[in-house]
Amino acid sequence: MTVAAVAEAPPLTIALIGNPNTGKSTLFSALSGIHSHVGNYPGVTVEKKIGRFKHGGRAIRLVDLPGTYSLSPRTLDEMVSVDVLLGRQDDVGRPDAVVCILDASNLERNLYLVSQVLDLGLPTVLVLNMWDVALDRGLTIDVEALERKLGIPIIRTEAHRRTGTDAVREAMVAAVTRGPVATPRVFPPQFYEEAEKLGAALRESTGREVPPYLLERLLLDVGGYVELEFVAHGLADLPQRLTDARERLKAAGCRVPAIEAKARYAWAKQSLAGVLTQPAERAVTRSDRLDRWLTHGVFGLLVFAALMLLVFMSIFRWAEPVMGLIEAGQGWVAEQIGGLMSPGALRSLIVDGVIAGVGGVLVFLPQIVFLFFFIALLEDCGYMARAAFLMDRLMTRIGLSGKSFVPLMSSFACAIPGVMATRVIENRRDRMVTILVAPLMSCSARLPVYVLLTSLFVPEGDYRRGLVLFGMYSLGVVIAIPVAWILKKTFFKGETPPFVMELPSYKWPSPRIVAYRVYDRAKSFVVRAGTLIFATSVIVWAAGYFPAGRTENHKLEQQIGEWNAKHGEELKMLDDQLKPLQEERAVLTAALDPEASQADRAAGVKQAIAKGIVERGSADEVNKKAAELDEQIAPLAAKADPLHAEIDPLTDQLNHLNGEAMERSILGRIGHVIEPVVKPLGWDWKIGVGAIASFPAREVIIATLGTIYSLGSDVDENNEGLRSTMLAERWPDGSPVYTLPVAISIMVFFALCAQCAATLMVIRRETNSWAWPAFTFAYMTGLAYLGALIAYQVGRALLG
């Protein structure tokens, strides 16, 4: 065959399968590099990962199947691997060959899956990965003898070092050329006789041939997914037929389902006879010595807590500077593009819709990168399995597994990387419940709301502020426990599987593998979830912009833009010089206030010393420093004040018009419509608009309230003008809108509500269904409303 003919041949489809912790994903990335596509199989939560590369001029599609200990499907998600291998998954097609990855240091257990793969009859390549670990443990494996026994090619690899990957590529192509392999007959003859009888009966009932492997699964998996699938297609008599067949097998000494484990492990043991030689006494390895400490009931938990603190700080604190740079970059781009366009709907769409939407996607990237960097490190070095082991006892009490802890903890910083981190959970029920309760953890976006509302009623420095914040962060955890329990008893019923986890050997993580996994997750978020987040941002912009007429607003924006072009830089420079001077002078004013008590003046002096404004705090020193500051402030203020006198009235007028426009917009009208619904929570329509506008992102409520109260959208939670305006708000009867029960009601609502479109879009991407984000939104909004109602009504009854 010529090179041109080979190049024109259709790509080979190769399936990659193996137990968890065998280095399968590492080998996948080593073979395909960054040329991979990540998605979901239709109708299930299972991730579909397909890599592409060429070898010898032949294109190869490498399908990375989920890690599994067996091909015995109990759910639709677990059925995906079987369907792919049988060629029943239309979006993948029938594989030309299958590569089965084994941990070379645990051959007997790994051969259980190999026996099932060989039952399919596909051309098969066996890869003995982690060969270095097997050698370190003193194992001797006669690879050539094992090849003769199994009748398939066997390759030795160390995937984390990329050793043996070229041989794997060669073996893939060669296996396709060789064709199907002989299937081992691991069960007694009576079992195959029953399978043939069942096949004949189904052929007569359905008019089609059922693959032999599915016939075996029908007999072996009592109440399994394959049986349920056939019954759903009209074979109502199948359960009784299977029961009768299993009774006959039991009478013949082939008790189902125990026969499968017995027969397959017997086959594995026979296959390794004369092949595997182990040392008389198992050597104590480095991993064993480390595990004495890292899985210890006390010391291990302390190490785990320290590592989780490091991960949490990276997401919560270290990512903030990078996120700030992204936000600053977004502001700069918006300013540059906005300056090139005339005020109007198009500029608002580009600046407030498109650029803000892109920024709303990219701003989450630092947290996602930091989280998956640490997850990749912990997985690749072997510690993640130990973390799950340590936390399993605690998490099983609420119906979850130890692997749920890291995603839930990560959600305190941001639910988006937390939801994405659930991919480490193999059990579908545990993964789904973790996804659905993760948004209840109070993320960093809720903090501005807590700070603003707490500051209205609790003085700065008061210890009660800390108690309020602790209460709000604890509320989500307390509610998540019964929610997880209810979900496990309703939507995700089933026996809790025994916690079985292999503890892989420790090793130094590969920088290449860690970098690839971080890149892969970041790309997946931007490409898939990012498009949905962007679309949501544009829709919410439109709801806040239309249909209010904004002609006067645009004229003022044009006028302000022209003024800023002439004087903006000058005023900014003056304000930047004035601000620190005025802040220092304000501290000294408190220290010199003749109407203040002696204690308050002393506190002012103490603050001035702490901030380095004065050294000793004597009356003469304070007065002298105040005079110096006045001399510095006066000439600057003389220049800045006339400029402020020109621009501030225009800005105030624009803010007032924008507030009126917000009230006339779709969002504003919805706010008026829902006022009767939110009034039992103590809210007026303005708070209702803020809550609705914040569904794309919780922190948006601050800017929305700033717009509604004619203060501008650039206010933050520390803005004194926003605080004073909120406290001055009144109902028609003159009573204040913002009271302590109202503040608590709003905080409880934000603590429990699913006000984050980005999180909902990621749930859609991870579950491959719109039903689950809709369910999350519905149950969390219901919980939030009920919680806010109770908080307000009880608070009003107690506080009056």
Side-chain angles (χ1 to χ4, degrees):
M1 185 180 294
T2 65
V3 173
V6 171
E8 294 172 1
L12 297 176
T13 299
I14 310 293
L16 203 63
I17 194 168
N19 290 178
N21 298 312
T22 55
K24 178 175 63 66
S25 296
T26 303
L27 181 62
F28 174 84
S29 60
L31 292 171
S32 62
I34 63 172
H35 305 291
S36 62
H37 171 76
V38 180
N40 282 80
Y41 291 99
V44 295
T45 64
V46 179
E47 188 175 70
K48 177 173 65 177
K49 202 168 185 179
I50 298 179
R52 290 176 173 80
F53 63 93
K54 284 191 174 183
H55 183 72
R58 187 71 184 266
I60 295 176
R61 294 170 68 238
L62 191 62
V63 183
D64 185 14
L65 295 175
T68 182
Y69 289 105
S70 76
L71 290 175
S72 306
R74 308 292 301 178
T75 66
L76 178 58
D77 282 10
E78 294 172 355
M79 187 67 190
V80 166
S81 295
V82 176
D83 282 340
V84 169
L85 294 172
L86 290 175
R88 305 200 319 162
Q89 197 73 40
D90 294 337
D91 54 331
V92 174
R94 183 174 178 81
D96 297 292
V98 58
V99 176
C100 196
I101 319 299
L102 278 69
D103 175 359
S105 63
N106 288 294
L107 283 183
E108 184 173 338
R109 180 179 48 72
N110 282 211
L111 281 173
Y112 184 100
L113 178 63
V114 174
S115 70
Q116 292 179 322
V117 171
L118 292 177
D119 280 347
L120 299 167
L122 289 169
T124 303
V125 175
L126 210 60
V127 173
L128 303 186
N129 195 31
M130 298 192 282
W131 186 257
D132 52 334
V133 176
L135 296 180
D136 288 344
R137 293 184 179 179
L139 303 181
T140 303
I141 304 170
D142 188 339
V143 175
E144 289 73 18
L146 187 59
E147 278 186 331
R148 290 192 297 272
K149 283 195 172 188
L150 301 183
I152 56 176
I154 300 176
I155 311 296
R156 291 166 287 191
T157 64
E158 296 171 25
H160 64 290
R161 295 193 178 106
R162 299 204 168 194
T163 302
T165 53
D166 287 337
V168 174
R169 293 187 182 97
E170 290 282 354
M172 288 178 181
V173 178
V176 175
T177 304
R178 259 194 321 272
V181 299
T183 58
R185 296 179 72 84
V186 300
F187 296 109
Q190 297 93 328
F191 178 84
Y192 293 106
E193 290 172 8
E194 287 293 343
E196 289 173 7
K197 290 178 184 177
L198 180 61
L202 291 178
R203 184 167 54 251
E204 184 178 342
S205 301
T206 64
R208 59 189 177 88
E209 200 73 35
V210 178
Y213 186 77
L214 292 186
L215 294 173
E216 293 180 13
R217 300 274 36 112
L218 281 170
L219 289 171
L220 293 168
D221 300 335
V222 181
Y225 182 78
V226 178
E227 178 181 340
L228 297 176
E229 183 183 40
F230 273 86
V231 171
H233 283 78
L235 296 177
D237 64 333
L238 181 61
Q240 185 58 51
R241 191 187 299 273
L242 291 175
T243 300
D244 294 341
R246 289 165 188 154
E247 286 296 324
R248 290 192 294 271
L249 286 172
K250 180 181 177 181
C254 300
R255 185 186 296 272
V256 173
I259 185 62
E260 181 167 28
K262 182 179 178 181
R264 293 195 187 280
Y265 279 121
W267 174 84
K269 191 171 184 179
Q270 181 183 2
S271 299
L272 293 175
V275 171
L276 175 65
T277 304
Q278 304 185 62
E281 291 186 8
R282 184 179 179 277
V284 177
T285 65
R286 180 183 59 181
S287 293
D288 294 330
R289 290 190 291 270
L290 286 172
D291 277 338
R292 288 174 187 169
W293 294 98
L294 296 181
T295 60
H296 187 270
V298 177
F299 185 79
L301 287 174
L302 292 175
V303 173
F304 174 75
L307 285 172
M308 291 305 100
L309 178 62
L310 179 66
V311 174
F312 186 78
M313 290 297 294
S314 76
I315 303 169
F316 198 68
R317 293 296 183 191
W318 300 353
E320 282 187 359
V322 187
M323 296 171 74
L325 288 175
I326 293 174
E327 290 174 339
Q330 174 194 332
W332 182 85
V333 171
E335 183 179 344
Q336 297 304 309
I337 293 179
L340 299 174
M341 303 177 69
S342 299
L346 180 59
R347 187 174 81 170
S348 183
L349 170 62
I350 299 297
V351 173
D352 301 323
V354 175
I355 296 176
V358 172
V361 173
L362 297 181
V363 76
F364 292 111
L365 261 186
Q367 292 180 320
I368 289 170
V369 167
F370 271 111
L371 174 62
F372 281 101
F373 170 74
F374 280 104
I375 287 179
L377 276 180
L378 295 176
E379 280 187 329
D380 203 39
C381 75
Y383 182 78
M384 187 64 82
R386 276 82 179 176
F389 168 76
L390 286 168
M391 294 309 300
D392 187 67
R393 182 176 298 178
L394 171 65
M395 301 304 292
T396 49
R397 293 177 181 175
I398 60 172
L400 297 174
S401 76
K403 290 189 175 183
S404 300
F405 184 82
V406 172
L408 292 178
M409 188 213 66
S410 304
S411 298
F412 277 104
C414 179
I416 291 171
V419 170
M420 292 177 68
T422 60
R423 296 173 185 180
V424 302
I425 306 172
E426 290 92 358
N427 183 278
R428 178 182 180 272
R429 293 189 298 119
D430 289 348
R431 180 170 183 248
M432 288 297 298
V433 174
T434 306
I435 286 173
L436 296 178
V437 301
L440 286 169
M441 306 300 110
S442 272
C443 66
S444 57
R446 292 172 166 105
L447 187 58
V449 182
Y450 299 159
V451 170
L452 172 64
L453 292 166
T454 303
S455 66
L456 294 179
F457 301 101
V458 183
E460 186 174 355
D462 193 311
Y463 73 93
R464 288 175 296 178
R465 279 197 179 189
L467 291 178
V468 171
L469 291 178
F470 177 77
M472 289 299 104
Y473 274 86
S474 300
L475 179 63
V477 178
V478 172
I479 297 297
I481 293 172
V483 169
W485 185 85
I486 291 170
L487 289 172
K488 272 298 188 78
K489 297 296 182 182
T490 53
F491 294 101
F492 303 101
K493 289 181 180 179
E495 294 182 12
T496 301
F499 184 71
V500 179
M501 172 169 284
E502 178 186 356
L503 299 182
S505 299
Y506 290 103
K507 63 182 179 67
W508 287 107
S510 164
R512 183 188 292 111
I513 292 168
V514 171
Y516 170 77
R517 288 179 181 172
V518 172
Y519 164 80
D520 183 54
R521 294 312 179 197
K523 175 186 173 185
S524 174
F525 167 73
V526 172
V527 173
R528 306 197 67 212
T531 54
L532 298 172
I533 297 169
F534 170 76
T536 304
S537 300
V538 173
I539 291 170
V540 173
W541 163 83
Y545 189 89
F546 295 108
R550 294 175 181 260
T551 304
E552 292 299 318
N553 307 54
H554 296 155
K555 288 180 181 179
L556 273 173
E557 287 175 6
Q558 183 72 32
Q559 191 175 349
I560 291 171
E562 293 171 355
W563 189 94
N564 281 328
K566 295 179 181 179
H567 309 292
E569 286 295 326
E570 179 186 2
L571 181 58
K572 183 179 183 300
M573 183 180 65
L574 290 169
D575 284 344
D576 288 345
Q577 291 175 307
L578 276 168
K579 185 178 179 181
L581 298 174
Q582 290 172 335
E583 288 176 350
E584 290 184 4
R585 186 63 177 86
V587 173
L588 296 182
T589 299
L592 296 169
D593 186 0
E595 297 181 2
S597 66
Q598 185 176 351
D600 288 341
R601 289 198 300 273
V605 172
K606 187 176 181 180
Q607 187 180 10
I609 295 172
K611 293 193 173 186
I613 302 173
V614 294
E615 291 182 4
R616 295 178 300 277
S618 65
D620 289 341
E621 184 186 13
V622 172
N623 280 304
K624 182 179 178 182
K625 184 63 178 180
E628 290 176 1
L629 288 172
D630 288 340
E631 288 180 9
Q632 292 176 278
I633 290 171
L636 294 172
K639 295 178 182 178
D641 289 347
L643 295 175
H644 276 293
E646 291 179 15
I647 192 61
D648 287 354
L650 297 177
T651 303
D652 291 343
Q653 186 181 355
L654 178 60
N655 289 338
H656 178 71
L657 290 175
N658 284 339
E660 292 180 341
M662 174 66 79
E663 184 174 357
R664 296 193 303 271
S665 71
I666 295 171
L667 276 180
R669 295 177 185 184
I670 292 173
H672 281 289
V673 169
I674 68 167
E675 186 170 25
V677 178
V678 299
K679 197 167 184 179
L681 311 182
W683 303 3
D684 64 358
W685 72 268
K686 296 177 183 178
I687 302 174
V689 169
I692 294 172
S694 64
F695 273 101
R698 296 175 180 90
E699 62 271 29
V700 170
I701 188 175
I702 309 292
T704 304
L705 291 176
T707 300
I708 293 174
Y709 294 139
S710 302
L711 299 172
S713 61
D714 56 347
V715 298
D716 61 23
E717 65 272 18
N718 298 310
N719 188 281
E720 288 296 333
L722 178 59
R723 294 176 184 174
S724 58
T725 301
M726 292 170 69
L727 289 173
E729 279 290 298
R730 293 290 185 270
W731 289 101
D733 64 1
S735 60
V737 171
Y738 289 92
T739 62
L740 182 56
V742 170
I744 295 174
S745 168
I746 297 171
M747 286 191 288
V748 169
F749 186 87
F750 273 74
L752 300 179
C753 193
Q755 289 168 296
C756 184
T759 298
L760 295 175
M761 296 304 103
V762 170
I763 292 175
R764 156 68 181 87
R765 182 254 181 276
E766 294 298 313
T767 62
N768 202 27
S769 169
W770 284 107
W772 292 115
F775 172 78
T776 303
F777 177 81
Y779 99 77
M780 288 185 65
T781 303
L783 271 179
Y785 186 89
L786 181 61
L789 178 66
I790 293 172
Y792 174 69
Q793 296 296 342
V794 172
R796 189 174 67 164
L798 294 176
L799 301 174

